[in-house]
Amino acid sequence: MAERGRAPGRTQGFAGTWPPRGAAQAGGLAPSGLDAWPALVAKLRTWLAAEAGAGRLLPWVPVAFGTGIAFYFAADREPVLFAAAAAAIGLCLAAFLLRRQKLFPVAVMIAAAAAGFAVATWKTARVAHGVLARPMYSVSLSGFVETRDIRERTDRFVLRVTRMESPRGATTLQRVRLSVRKGTAPAVGSFVELKARLQPPLAPLRPGSYDFGRDMYFAGIGASGFVMGAIKTAEPPDSGGLALRYAAVMQGLRDAIDARIRTALEGDRRAIATALLTGRRDAISPPVNDAMFISGLGHVLSISGYHMAVVAGVVFFAVRALLALIPQLTVGFPIKKWSAAAALAAAAFYLLLSGAEVATQRSFFMTAVVLIAIMVDRRAVTFRTLAVAAMIVLTIAPEALVHPSFQMSFAATLGLVALVQIGMPALLAAPDNSATARAALWGGREVAMLALASLVAGLATMPYAAFHFHRVTPYGVLANLAAMPVVSAVVMPAGLLGMVAMPFGFDSVFWQVMGWGIDWMITVAQWVAALPGAIGRIAAFGTGPLIAASLGIILMGLLRTPLRWAGATLVVLAVAWALVRPQPDILISADGHNIGVRGRDGRLHLIRSAKEAFLLREWLAADADGRVVADSSLAEGVSCDQAGCVAQMADGGLVALALRPEALMDDCERAALLVTARQVSPACGALVVDQDRLRRQGALALRRSRDGFTVDAVRPKGVDRPWSPAVAGDAEDGTSLVRPAIAKPADATPSEADLQAED
């Protein structure tokens, strides 16, 4: 028998029986190729240590802060402010106490996420106000006009309500947004009395689509509608406050600029010039507006970081050039810092002039951080600059996180900063040979950088454009290369010079120059939009792929080591996930008047009992369907009469819309799904979506299942948020629509063997 002894692995064993611990790893029992694992683990540890090095933590703080905000908007019910604030304070204190420990980075990320959650909760509590739940007719309103929009067909204004009377109840709202006939909108700052028809804020038109009601809630608007009759201007009960007087002054300035532009330009040239300078972009004709977005130039129409950068850049270089003409100032004074201060003042004025919307605020803060960095002798374009700007925007307006403008702008900026920090040094480090020198002399390097910047920004914003607008721009780089140099060098500088020359009466020539540049931009947009395959459509794919793509973009932008390629892997997986996402078989509008049924050809066929062009355009866009609302093929396979309509699904089942009681009996016998506003008998053989369910859950998307349909709703069961309050009775509605099993009566006949003689 083997002698018992001490093995090298510090465990009792039998000498000569078991190999020393670690011998199996050296060979023999170890799988082949396992020797590479220690080297790979060591390499991963090296990369992680490099990513967690000094100065690498700050760019991740706004990512964690935004994650906390995202969790807030994903909650089913409104969090308790006290609990959210207490948790955030406690976790921030814990992170401070762990500042000298290895867990400090993790503690900071958790604390930042908790802080984002608490800030979003606090913002919602601060802006809390009433939201209209049901339509109201002939409502008497009086109040102050806060803003006014001049649009192509109708005008619109926001009324701060001081008195509200309705025959149906004592509902009180703080602000309402009203549409009026073009040219009849009252002046900003005036006190008016009127009658209006009010509707609740627009809910998502299908599950997963954009929530316009949430935007209106954070803007303090509780209802929208239109004016009935004349608007009477009256004597206000008070002055309305300093903010209202400021709004009136800025609106008057915008009107003056628009009036001066109108004297030199007209049509889309005037509309685009006004949009670039004042933020009014609703007067652009639909064909030009569509061409701009199809070509990838739509970002020019919305005042964003590009516009702020151009304004600040033009002012910075102009002031610096003028100061450089005086040698005494050049030698003895910091004219670069003076120029940055002048550019900051110009950017602030541009912010106020354009209406200071959330997207414009974000652009201003980013530009301001860059200019302040110049003034304090710091590098301007860094990840820290982007992180500080993101933290400022998300702290002031946490609701911006779910807005497409914020998502696209910061994704593009992250890509461009990564290009400047990583790609540009590699591009500029080319060997100094004659070919490179000639290319640089003729602007080859600048053209290459412009093309690369357009490509990076386009790729970074593509997931968000696909998610929100269901479009991608295959020729975006081409359009930006052709149009953006003219916009940067001609259109925007001419517009700025026109505003400077306005008080002196010499602005007409600058508007004409601006118009020439806009003509070129429109020509490029229409040419690119007409190219084969210019309209890249993609069907709706939900938030899962978007989150994966966002995480991938962040990893590729912020990581420095080869670990960044994990982000590229995530983006590829997100694209694959989005492409295989199944589309609903049936769409039902919130009022039940419009139903989309997917037929055997894989396309939607529409049952329409009301004209809702905006709704139908959204449904078709989300289905990657290029047909227009008036296309006759949308009604193929749909049979209608005065009693209702019927359409056939891909599996042959029928979907019925019952408009009259006499249609219910036939529909209950033949249809697989019945949509109706009528009371239906419990014995109906069809699955029923009635008006009460639509009122509680809003628009529905149904997918065929073995026993019926799975249901996605705009307001799922249990969801109750301030901008989308739950309606009583939602406990009855689940996530499926199945025919209840009916228990058959038991057979009471006894067997012959059990019968007794007396039976």
Side-chain angles (χ1 to χ4, degrees), residues 79-95 110-122:
V80 178
L81 178 59
F82 173 78
I89 293 173
L91 290 171
C92 289
L93 180 60
I110 296 175
F117 189 91
V119 166
T121 307
W122 170 79

Side-chain angles (χ1 to χ4, degrees), residues 403-700:
H403 197 278
S405 174
F406 176 90
Q407 296 168 1
M408 297 177 71
S409 181
F410 267 96
T413 307
L414 175 62
L416 293 176
V417 173
L419 177 64
V420 171
Q421 296 279 295
I422 303 171
M424 187 176 291
L427 182 65
L428 298 181
D432 187 12
N433 54 48
S434 58
T436 304
R438 284 197 300 269
L441 181 63
W442 289 98
R445 184 173 294 173
E446 286 73 14
V447 172
M449 286 304 304
L450 179 60
L452 194 57
S454 299
L455 179 62
V456 168
L459 292 176
T461 58
M462 189 174 294
Y464 308 100
F467 177 81
H468 292 288
F469 310 116
H470 317 296
R471 284 181 178 178
V472 294
T473 54
Y475 303 121
V477 175
L478 176 62
N480 281 274
L481 279 175
M484 294 314 294
V486 175
V487 176
S488 303
V490 178
V491 176
M492 290 301 295
L496 295 177
L497 292 174
M499 287 194 296
V500 172
M502 271 184 59
F504 307 100
F506 295 100
D507 53 316
S508 297
V509 63
F510 298 109
W511 305 135
Q512 289 291 346
V513 174
M514 191 179 187
W516 296 337
I518 292 174
D519 285 339
W520 172 254
M521 182 173 64
I522 294 175
T523 300
V524 170
Q526 293 176 336
W527 171 67
V528 172
L531 293 175
I535 305 178
R537 296 185 176 91
I538 184 168
F541 49 79
T543 57
L546 183 70
I547 293 173
S550 300
L551 182 58
I553 291 172
I554 292 171
L555 291 177
M556 285 192 293
L558 294 184
L559 295 182
R560 291 290 175 274
T561 64
L563 289 174
R564 74 166 70 96
W565 298 114
T569 304
L570 271 177
V571 172
V572 172
L573 292 176
V575 172
W577 187 1
L579 293 177
V580 301
R581 178 88 176 193
Q583 296 304 305
D585 296 307
I586 299 173
L587 290 169
I588 305 175
S589 65
D591 57 7
H593 292 161
N594 295 273
I595 304 173
V597 180
R598 195 170 304 281
R600 297 180 186 275
D601 58 358
R603 301 195 300 177
L604 289 177
H605 299 272
L606 301 178
I607 299 176
R608 290 180 276 184
S609 62
K611 294 182 179 180
E612 294 286 350
F614 182 66
L615 169 85
L616 300 181
R617 282 197 298 268
E618 168 63 21
W619 281 6
L620 293 174
D623 208 54
D625 195 329
R627 292 176 293 176
V628 297
V629 174
D631 196 316
S632 60
S633 64
L634 292 172
E636 290 179 357
V638 179
S639 302
C640 291
D641 56 25
Q642 294 182 349
C645 297
V646 175
Q648 194 174 52
M649 294 183 291
D651 61 359
L654 297 178
V655 178
L657 172 63
L659 301 177
R660 293 189 177 183
E662 55 265 27
L664 292 178
M665 182 177 297
D666 191 36
D667 291 340
C668 282
E669 292 179 357
R670 301 180 57 189
L673 178 70
L674 172 61
V675 181
T676 181
R678 306 285 178 177
Q679 187 69 30
V680 181
S681 169
C684 181
L687 300 174
V688 179
V689 173
D690 58 15
Q691 201 68 25
D692 289 338
R693 179 165 191 149
L694 293 174
R695 180 176 58 86
R696 291 189 296 267
Q697 292 198 307
L700 303 177

Side-chain angles (χ1 to χ4, degrees), residues 36 105 114 142 194 203 211 309 331 408 474 489 494 602 758:
S142 61
L194 52 88
D211 194 345
V331 175
M408 297 177 71
E758 60 270 21

Side-chain angles (χ1 to χ4, degrees), residues 165-326:
E165 296 179 358
S166 172
R168 295 188 57 182
T171 304
T172 302
L173 301 174
Q174 293 183 4
R175 288 177 179 83
V176 296
R177 189 175 66 190
L178 302 172
S179 296
V180 295
R181 185 163 52 87
K182 188 169 180 62
T184 62
V188 173
S190 60
F191 185 83
V192 297
E193 298 175 351
L194 52 88
K195 285 185 177 294
R197 178 178 295 181
L198 300 180
Q199 297 283 343
L202 183 62
L205 301 177
R206 57 172 183 80
S209 67
Y210 192 73
D211 194 345
F212 296 97
R214 182 181 57 211
D215 285 353
M216 293 180 64
Y217 180 83
F218 282 99
I221 301 173
S224 61
F226 58 89
V227 172
M228 303 172 59
I231 301 174
K232 179 184 177 182
T233 303
E235 190 68 24
D238 53 57
S239 63
L242 181 62
L244 191 63
R245 290 197 294 270
Y246 152 75
V249 171
M250 297 308 299
Q251 186 66 43
L253 183 56
R254 295 186 199 104
D255 292 340
I257 294 173
D258 183 60
R260 297 290 294 210
I261 294 175
R262 194 186 298 269
T263 61
L265 305 175
E266 59 183 13
D268 289 312
R269 300 169 74 202
R270 178 193 67 81
I272 293 177
T274 301
L276 294 176
L277 297 179
T278 67
R280 292 178 178 173
R281 56 183 182 272
D282 294 321
I284 303 171
S285 65
V288 172
N289 191 66
D290 291 342
M292 294 289 289
F293 280 93
I294 292 172
S295 64
L297 293 176
H299 64 92
V300 178
L301 302 179
S302 177
I303 295 179
S304 59
Y306 164 76
H307 302 78
M308 280 288 175
V310 171
V311 170
V314 169
V315 173
F316 177 82
F317 289 111
V319 172
R320 191 175 184 184
L322 291 175
L323 294 177
L325 296 177
I326 307 174

